[in-house]
Amino acid sequence: MCPTPFRSPIRVSEFFPYRGGELHAEEIAVSRIATAVGTPFYIYSAAAFAAQYRRFAEAFARERPLICYAVKANSNLAVLRVFAGLGAGADVVSEGELRRALAAGMPPQRILFSGVGKTPAELEAAIDAEIHQINIESVPELCRLSEIARVRGRVAPVAIRVNPDVDARTHAKISTGMKENKFGIDLGEVIAAYSLATELPGIEPVGLAVHIGSQLVDLEPYRRAFVRVAGLVRELRANGLAVTRIDLGGGLGIRYRAEDAPEPTSYARLVREIFGSAGLAMTFEPGRVLAGPAGLLVARVIYVKQGAAKRIVIVDAAMNDLIRPALYEAWHDIVPVRLPAADAFFAPADVVGPVCETTDTFAVDRDLPPVAEGDLVAFTAAGAYGAVMSSTYNSRPLVPEVLVAGTRFDVIRARPSYDDMLSLDTVPTWLSEVSPAPARKRGAA
Ligand SMILES: *Cc1c(COP(=O)(O)O)cnc(C)c1O
């Protein structure tokens, strides 16, 4: 393939500017952080989190909704503290996330609990913490919660999560609102479930919840889901049932590549059009849109291999650190930390990690400027569903997370040592008492 000359300027965002040809996070050179903490690592901009939150909140200035940041997008305690400081609540999907939200100082009255498989222990923890709302996704879960609340002499505020049977037109693996998906209660069964909730002890049904998927870049699926939910609210009320709250979920997409992600203001206009006069207290559960654009994953090039068919750039980050490309065929821009010369040529390359899996591939035939061993590169829009989805596959340590605010940076999760990692395993005593079996000769009986 012919190399193509360098055309458009490489750009990330105002929070990750190039200064003097060097990528910065706010006021700090990314290379300086790389020297301090080693690669790979995640880096977040506190100002970018704040800007994303404010853009969302200001779009709904009229409604003044409860904005429950979806903790699963990025659950680092320091990140949660940033959002708590901005006035956000938390949407949690496990007891671990509930504990994180509380530990980060989120008031329980701003925490809601979602998820299709909350265990009895998790429901108990939610009731004991006296959180704002528990979103119920099935009749068996409703009955279980009722039992637990009754025994504890408590009344749990509950929203029924509706499965509106709408195609979110996002990647199939992050679509949640079709009837064949595991999420929520089917449209036709919501009224019965809601009536049951009014009769069960320990339960106070307050409204409906809906969340149709993630990385939505088209508002039309939202419209179809919201229209159905608004119809259900009218129907419930016509049946004499009280509905005071509506939880419209998360899912708003961001720009990874060339998507035209909707502006929060257009989304707000749609919400207003459908629910404007319903007299409902509103809740949102945004995750990706608040955290995604605020983070980078920084890696170092280990080798550049000129294969028979193509150039392969091997970096020290892998699918265990950022799994989205392997899991969802997701795109992340890959930018050099030091800008190439103005007349540098772009040429296609595959960018891969060291893990022993073919899917450990971040990009195929990506137009990249020249990169050499030792160079730093950054994967953009990695603030959501990055570090939280990482694992230690291939016994690779979890990568550190760094938070930048202006001219300071802090490690907000340290890289574990190999000793820390090995100490999690236990060899049973019966194994240490047995000496290794002698090797058998080939062909021996
Ligand atoms: C994952 C999830 C969210 C957040 O989704 P984003 O796409 O990150 O905004 C919100 N609500 C529920 C119920 C979820 O499962």
Side-chain angles (χ1 to χ4, degrees), residues 285-334:
E285 306 166 348
R288 189 189 308 273
V289 70
L290 301 189
L296 305 176
L297 171 64
V298 180
R300 199 177 286 282
V301 175
I302 314 175
Y303 301 113
V304 179
K305 176 160 114 171
Q306 192 57 61
K310 49 175 59 171
R311 175 170 65 135
I312 299 177
V313 176
I314 304 161
V315 298
D316 63 0
M319 63 187 287
N320 68 297
D321 307 313
L322 176 65
I323 203 175
R324 299 187 64 258
L327 198 57
Y328 312 133
E329 300 158 322
W331 174 289
H332 286 270
D333 274 344
I334 303 170

Side-chain angles (χ1 to χ4, degrees), residues 70 72-73 91 93 114-115 137 161 211 213-215 249-252 285-289 385:
K72 73 175 193 276
D91 170 33
V93 295
S114 303
E137 301 214 15
R161 178 166 172 186
H211 171 76
S214 200
Q215 183 55 15
L252 207 60
E285 306 166 348
R288 189 189 308 273
V289 70
Y385 306 108

Side-chain angles (χ1 to χ4, degrees), residues 62-151:
R62 220 184 292 171
E63 289 77 12
R64 305 183 58 76
L66 176 62
I67 300 174
C68 291
Y69 165 64
V71 171
K72 73 175 193 276
N74 186 327
S75 60
N76 187 289
L77 285 181
V79 173
L80 296 183
R81 182 67 70 99
V82 168
F83 284 121
L86 293 163
D91 170 33
V92 302
V93 295
S94 70
E95 182 172 348
E97 286 191 354
L98 173 60
R99 286 173 182 255
R100 281 181 178 274
L102 293 169
M106 298 272 191
Q109 319 84 267
R110 288 199 208 131
I111 298 177
L112 70 86
F113 201 148
S114 303
V116 71
K118 303 176 207 75
T119 65
E122 288 178 320
L123 293 172
E124 283 168 14
I127 286 179
D128 290 348
E130 299 189 55
I131 64 170
H132 173 70
Q133 180 174 304
I134 301 177
N135 289 357
I136 289 295
E137 301 214 15
S138 68
V139 170
E141 187 191 25
L142 185 62
C143 297
R144 176 64 57 75
L145 179 64
S146 164
E147 253 171 64
I148 291 171
R150 188 177 52 78
V151 167

